[in-house]
Amino acid sequence: MADLAANDPVLLTTSDGRPLQEALAQAQSKAKWRAFMLVAPLLAFILITFVSPIVQVLHQSVYNPKFSENMPQISAWFDQNPNGTEPDEAAYTALVADLVAAGAAKTVAVAGERVNYEMPGTRSLFTKAGREAKKLQPPFMESLTKLDENWASPELWGVMRRVSHAYTGDFYLAAVDLERSPTGSIQQVPENERVYVNLFVRTFALSAAITFMCLLIGYPVAFLLAALPMRYASLLMIMVLLPFWTSLLVRTTAWMVLLQGQGVVNSLLVWAGIIAEDQRLVMINNLMGTMIAMTHILLPFMILPLYSVMKPIPPSYVRAARSLGATSWTAFRRVYLPQTIPGIGAGGLLVFILSVGYYITPALVGGASGQLISNLIAFHVNKSNNWSLAAALATILLASILLLYWLYDKLVGIDKLKLG
Amino acid sequence: MVASSPNDAFVAFEHVQKSYDGVQLVVKDLNLAIGKGEFLTMLGPSGSGKTTCLMMLAGFETATNGEIKLDGVNINEVPPHKRGIGMVFQNYALFPHMTVGENLAFPLEVRGMGKSERDAKVKRALDMVQMGEFANRRPAQLSGGQQQRIALARALVFDPSLVLMDEPLGALDKQLREHMQYEIKRLHESLGITVVYVTHDQGEALTMSDRVAVFNDGRIQQLASPSDLYERPDNSFVAQFIGENNKLPGTIESINGDHCTVRLANGEVIDATPVNVSEKGAQTLVSIRPERVEFKTEMMPEGAHTIDAEVMEFIYMGDLFRTRLRVAGSDEFVIKSRNTMGQRMLRPGEKIKIGWAPQDARALDPM
Ligand SMILES: Nc1ncnc2c1ncn2[C@@H]1O[C@H](COP(=O)(O)OP(=O)(O)OP(=O)(O)O)[C@@H](O)[C@H]1O
Ligand SMILES: [Mg+2]
């Protein structure tokens, strides 16, 4: 019967002659509509608070109208004249007109900031010109260069031409330590200005190390949790969850107290005679401090998924393996460990993703060498006001995590992920 | 086959005690000798310590006191993987991340056996349980009965001489269970292995075993062949636990060698065989199997005492008639008669006299 229906698309009808599919859809539509209305608030909430900011960030990483909006006339001149055209009097006229208008509207600094991203030190050039432009007399080419000779620099004109387009991929170039040469080809930035690639590498390496440490420490704890009798297990579980109940800031500062030069750990080591008084370890304000504190903070995210896969594994599997002749190590490796892989995957992915984007702890205990990419993103948002670069960095971070997720799916299978 | 003394036993428990918490003894002074090739079943109510005994034998629990010997050697300190004992678990414990073939190859692999030899053995073991085509399936893709067969094959594939089974058929339906009982029995006989089998199900125990050890309260209550267990229970617990049983409480009126008379609460006197009562006036519980009770006077043994009974209920069961009677003030007394030609069907309310051969009524401890 089932075969018949599959091979032969006879249109089935209800007893009153309506096509069956239509009748079914009609019968279900009300229920579907109701179900949709039930989840609609959540859907709206997610769309507004989660999806739309991400879309905005993505957009901002390729769209920056600071120059083009505030300097419309010169931007129009760049559009009309192809690359390589020497700036003529018309160009200078447009530029000065823009400077006058922007100066009056007090937005010349914004336009200058955009140029300043590409060519450091030019912000003051713009603010000064914004103040003085209305006093300039034609011919503007001469009077503007007299105001400041940098206005004749071909490099400046090259940069202005590039930033006159609101849509640009330049922020992505900057995010991976690349830039456009005056001729328009892509090249690496000078050696001493390369920061981002190193920082990405450091962030991913540190996250991998933290994930590994969490696994190393968390696996036995999760095993104990799953194996201990209930009353001990719940006590241990409280200890695992305790960090969740204290503020992140408190935990991080606690590590500062423990790890600093005159801190508890160093003092203990000195007291025990393991290190000399003048050999106190530097464990804070560097990569090591970041790693220790973050491993501790992220540990529950490893332990809980592991626990949730270990708990339902009956002890009879390992017993069976032992009775079949396997040593306890073989029984663990061949029988127990493979059954906990979904938990390792979930915990590992969780810890890795969280640590890639971690911000507070590296900011507090990381010092200069323990800063991660997220700290730089924060810097560009809060300090340098270069949101587009921050957005590009964040987008690269997001993309690499999605890549990781895809890789995990290929290697282990996302369906094997068990978060709880 | 049946080990009579601990010295020629293949498996021996000697004064074994076990406590999990240091407060309560779960196994109290266990002595058990199992012969090579024997099929021994541990039968008993839940919590009586059967699994604990099996786990001690397999090496997953340590005996708190006493010795466990395998082939004459003390194995108390031998880790489980060196004991070479096959084991079938109640939930089968087939490794879910391995195929059936890999599950079976596992014990051979950890013994360092080469691939070709391994494959041949796995195939032979699968054929043995008629599961040849299932080597590439995962355990989750098998039915309960099929998983059971694979678990059995895996416990046998490395040729252990001793196999332990802890309620292996507990999760199967009745028909499949009976079929598997037969299969296990067949394998036991053809392979000549020693089997220690744990079950709740007395039918299973009686049909499969050479001997049955009835456990209760951490002790073996009786260790005997199925027929002895049923026909000659040593104490009231065994009489109650195995098969259907009528019990009549009373006091010993007279005792004379292997015959005694018992006075019931209502003053009537019956015949019985003294088992674990020895003196006149002692409290006793007389146990009689329903099918050994006679109600036709002409069939009654010579000189037997008879007592009055009133029919309460008559149940037609096809091959059997089951009749419930009021005897000596209790209406729990049951008799069974075969549906033979001319057999009488008793009617409720009918007054009859019942009796039995003295050797069929056993005067046991009052519990
Ligand atoms: N790991 C353990 N820790 C503490 N007590 C236990 C443990 N395992 C079993 N017990 C106790 O030991 C007693 C005997 O248990 P055991 O499992 O041997 O019984 P069993 O005869 O196999 O029962 P069942 O027929 O229900 O399987 C029980 O009272 C049980 O509560
Ligand atoms: Mg049990």
Side-chain angles (χ1 to χ4, degrees):
Chain A
M1 186 65 215
D3 273 351
L4 225 164
N7 296 336
D8 185 359
V10 181
L11 202 60
L12 292 174
T13 57
T14 57
S15 55
D16 57 356
R18 282 187 305 156
L20 192 59
Q21 283 192 344
E22 187 184 302
L24 185 69
Q26 200 172 8
Q28 288 182 341
S29 71
K30 199 162 184 180
K32 276 187 184 160
W33 178 242
R34 225 183 257 163
F36 176 78
M37 289 312 286
L38 210 59
V39 296
L42 177 67
L43 201 66
F45 180 77
I46 289 177
L47 279 175
I48 293 166
T49 60
F50 189 70
V51 177
S52 82
I54 288 182
V55 171
Q56 269 184 24
V57 165
L58 287 177
H59 185 239
Q60 200 146 55
S61 68
V62 291
Y63 178 74
N64 192 314
K66 281 181 180 175
F67 187 87
S68 56
E69 262 177 10
N70 297 317
M71 312 282 281
Q73 297 188 38
I74 185 67
S75 295
W77 182 86
F78 282 125
D79 279 344
Q80 283 149 17
N81 297 280
N83 198 1
T85 317
E86 282 291 317
D88 50 14
E89 182 57 26
Y92 277 95
T93 310
L95 180 58
V96 171
D98 279 338
L99 283 170
V100 171
K106 302 209 187 306
T107 55
V108 73
V110 175
E113 195 175 63
R114 175 71 187 90
V115 176
N116 192 59
Y117 295 158
E118 311 285 327
M119 196 178 160
T122 47
R123 192 200 306 257
S124 56
L125 192 67
F126 275 81
T127 44
K128 189 172 137 205
R131 280 195 304 276
E132 311 285 338
K134 51 187 177 291
K135 297 177 204 147
L136 294 178
Q137 298 296 320
F140 291 116
M141 192 193 291
E142 207 184 295
S143 54
L144 192 62
T145 38
K146 219 169 93 194
L147 185 68
D148 194 319
E149 63 189 11
N150 280 328
W151 283 111
S153 139
E155 198 194 344
L156 177 68
W157 280 90
V159 169
M160 285 199 297
R161 173 179 285 279
R162 262 190 289 133
V163 301
S164 68
H165 302 290
Y167 283 95
T168 169
D170 285 358
F171 294 106
Y172 281 97
L173 292 181
V176 291
D177 291 338
L178 296 176
E179 64 179 6
R180 252 178 236 282
S181 67
T183 58
S185 65
I186 291 168
Q187 63 182 31
Q188 282 205 304
V189 298
E191 190 98 35
N192 57 350
E193 288 172 27
R194 292 175 200 166
V195 280
Y196 301 111
V197 170
N198 275 342
L199 218 52
F200 272 118
V201 169
R202 182 198 286 170
T203 302
F204 284 113
L206 189 73
S207 299
I210 288 169
T211 308
F212 182 74
M213 291 296 295
C214 280
L215 181 63
L216 214 63
I217 301 172
Y219 200 93
V221 175
F223 178 79
L224 258 185
L225 266 176
L228 278 180
M230 206 52 203
R231 58 204 165 107
Y232 300 115
S234 18
L235 197 72
L236 188 61
M237 183 58 108
I238 288 175
M239 281 157 67
V240 169
L241 291 178
L242 208 59
F244 276 149
W245 303 343
T246 39
S247 143
L248 180 64
L249 231 52
V250 172
R251 276 178 280 160
T252 305
T253 37
W255 277 112
M256 293 165 74
V257 172
L258 284 172
L259 296 177
Q260 58 186 267
Q262 297 300 318
V264 179
V265 174
N266 264 321
S267 300
L268 262 177
L269 288 174
V270 170
W271 176 78
I274 296 169
I275 54 171
E277 180 62 51
D278 54 354
Q279 286 177 319
R280 284 181 180 257
L281 304 174
V282 185
M283 291 182 290
I284 200 85
N285 294 331
N286 60 9
L287 216 53
M288 180 155 165
T290 308
M291 182 151 152
I292 293 174
M294 277 176 67
T295 301
H296 168 242
I297 286 164
L298 296 174
L299 201 53
F301 294 99
M302 182 62 94
I303 292 176
L304 292 178
L306 277 176
Y307 170 71
S308 83
V309 296
M310 285 176 176
K311 188 70 194 169
I313 299 177
S316 61
Y317 286 127
V318 168
R319 288 186 164 180
R322 301 271 281 141
S323 82
L324 293 170
T327 59
S328 28
W329 166 243
T330 310
F332 169 75
R333 192 174 52 87
R334 296 280 315 273
V335 174
Y336 195 79
L337 187 67
Q339 294 188 61
T340 58
I341 282 183
I344 296 177
L349 217 55
L350 211 57
V351 170
F352 189 85
I353 290 173
L354 283 174
S355 47
V356 159
Y358 231 68
Y359 162 67
I360 293 186
T361 305
L364 289 179
V365 300
S369 67
Q371 295 299 299
L372 300 183
I373 197 75
S374 49
N375 302 106
L376 227 72
I377 294 176
F379 167 79
H380 282 306
V381 171
N382 297 332
K383 299 267 169 58
S384 83
N385 213 14
N386 190 350
W387 283 39
S388 287
L389 183 57
L393 289 169
T395 306
I396 291 176
L397 212 52
L398 180 67
S400 37
I401 283 169
L402 289 178
L403 185 78
L404 190 82
Y405 200 69
W406 176 81
L407 215 65
Y408 180 88
D409 187 31
K410 284 280 148 199
L411 295 179
V412 187
I414 241 53
D415 52 333
K416 297 225 176 66
L417 205 66
K418 195 161 183 300
L419 286 168
Chain B
M1 225 157 54
V2 171
S4 46
S5 80
N7 296 330
D8 62 339
F10 182 54
V11 177
F13 287 86
E14 289 173 14
H15 303 293
V16 171
Q17 295 181 305
K18 172 71 184 176
S19 174
Y20 283 106
D21 49 9
V23 178
Q24 207 178 3
L25 276 176
V26 169
V27 174
K28 302 166 184 162
D29 194 33
L30 179 76
N31 289 287
L32 179 59
I34 305 169
K36 198 158 182 96
E38 187 174 358
F39 195 117
L40 183 125
T41 299
M42 295 177 173
L43 175 67
S46 193
S48 56
K50 309 177 298 286
T51 300
T52 305
C53 287
L54 216 60
M55 288 299 162
M56 287 192 287
L57 184 50
F60 298 123
E61 295 291 350
T62 50
T64 312
N65 187 31
E67 270 189 76
I68 301 172
K69 288 181 177 169
L70 181 62
D71 218 0
V73 182
N74 183 329
I75 53 167
N76 284 25
E77 302 298 323
V78 179
H81 67 278
K82 293 205 177 129
R83 296 194 182 193
I85 298 176
M87 184 145 188
V88 181
F89 291 82
Q90 179 164 11
N91 57 3
Y92 316 134
L94 295 175
F95 307 140
H97 57 291
M98 298 185 192
T99 64
V100 165
E102 288 165 349
N103 262 284
L104 261 70
F106 184 81
L108 308 175
E109 230 177 298
V110 297
R111 285 176 169 73
M113 192 179 280
K115 175 129 175 58
S116 54
E117 198 183 345
R118 224 157 59 200
D119 289 348
K121 280 206 150 215
V122 167
K123 188 169 166 0
R124 194 140 42 87
L126 280 176
D127 288 341
M128 189 172 72
V129 293
Q130 288 116 46
M131 292 286 291
E133 306 99 84
F134 294 86
N136 292 322
R137 295 259 194 110
R138 298 254 166 185
Q141 299 166 319
L142 300 177
S143 73
Q146 291 168 335
Q147 290 183 28
Q148 174 55 52
R149 282 158 194 267
I150 300 302
L152 198 59
R154 190 179 66 176
L156 295 172
V157 71
F158 59 101
D159 301 323
S161 48
L162 174 62
V163 177
L164 314 181
M165 304 189 191
D166 190 359
E167 304 196 30
L169 309 181
L172 304 183
D173 64 51
K174 188 165 177 296
Q175 210 167 352
L176 204 53
R177 198 158 63 220
E178 279 167 8
H179 183 72
M180 285 305 296
Q181 286 171 12
Y182 165 77
E183 295 263 307
I184 291 173
K185 200 60 198 150
R186 181 181 62 84
L187 286 171
H188 165 245
E189 268 153 25
S190 66
L191 299 174
I193 48 176
T194 309
V195 176
V196 180
Y197 192 96
V198 167
T199 182
H200 263 116
D201 181 339
Q202 43 156 312
E204 204 165 287
L206 296 181
T207 52
M208 297 176 79
S209 327
D210 295 322
R211 284 192 302 165
V212 179
V214 181
F215 274 67
N216 188 38
D217 192 25
R219 282 180 205 282
I220 296 186
Q221 301 291 328
Q222 187 169 3
L223 172 64
S225 67
S227 61
D228 275 355
L229 215 54
Y230 186 78
E231 285 165 29
R232 283 180 287 281
D234 275 351
N235 55 40
S236 292
F237 175 81
V238 177
Q240 289 295 327
F241 193 71
I242 310 281
E244 206 169 3
N245 181 53
N246 292 307
K247 48 182 201 259
L248 294 169
T251 49
I252 302 287
E253 177 84 355
S254 72
I255 184 159
N256 173 18
D258 59 357
H259 183 267
C260 67
T261 53
V262 175
R263 184 173 292 278
L264 304 180
N266 65 351
E268 284 181 301
V269 173
I270 56 168
D271 298 307
T273 307
V275 179
N276 47 14
V277 283
S278 52
E279 54 196 71
K280 196 165 171 290
Q283 292 285 319
T284 184
L285 203 59
V286 179
S287 134
I288 313 138
R289 298 291 178 197
E291 66 277 11
R292 297 294 171 97
V293 178
E294 192 50 72
F295 61 92
K296 285 172 293 205
T297 24
E298 68 276 12
M299 305 281 284
M300 223 89 63
E302 191 81 7
H305 285 93
T306 57
I307 54 173
D308 293 323
E310 182 188 346
V311 177
M312 306 298 294
E313 189 183 15
F314 175 85
I315 301 168
Y316 179 86
M317 295 173 75
D319 55 342
L320 286 178
F321 302 150
R322 193 170 184 276
T323 315
R324 194 159 58 80
L325 307 174
R326 177 192 289 276
V327 173
S330 154
D331 47 11
E332 300 278 289
F333 200 95
V334 170
I335 61 174
K336 282 183 191 160
S337 44
R338 283 175 59 218
N339 185 2
T340 50
M341 191 101 78
Q343 180 66 284
R344 259 185 75 196
M345 296 195 191
L346 297 166
R347 280 184 309 277
E350 205 172 327
K351 297 264 190 337
I352 55 170
K353 282 204 172 295
I354 54 169
W356 47 80
Q359 65 269 24
D360 288 332
R362 294 172 70 82
L364 304 170
D365 54 302
M367 280 240 207

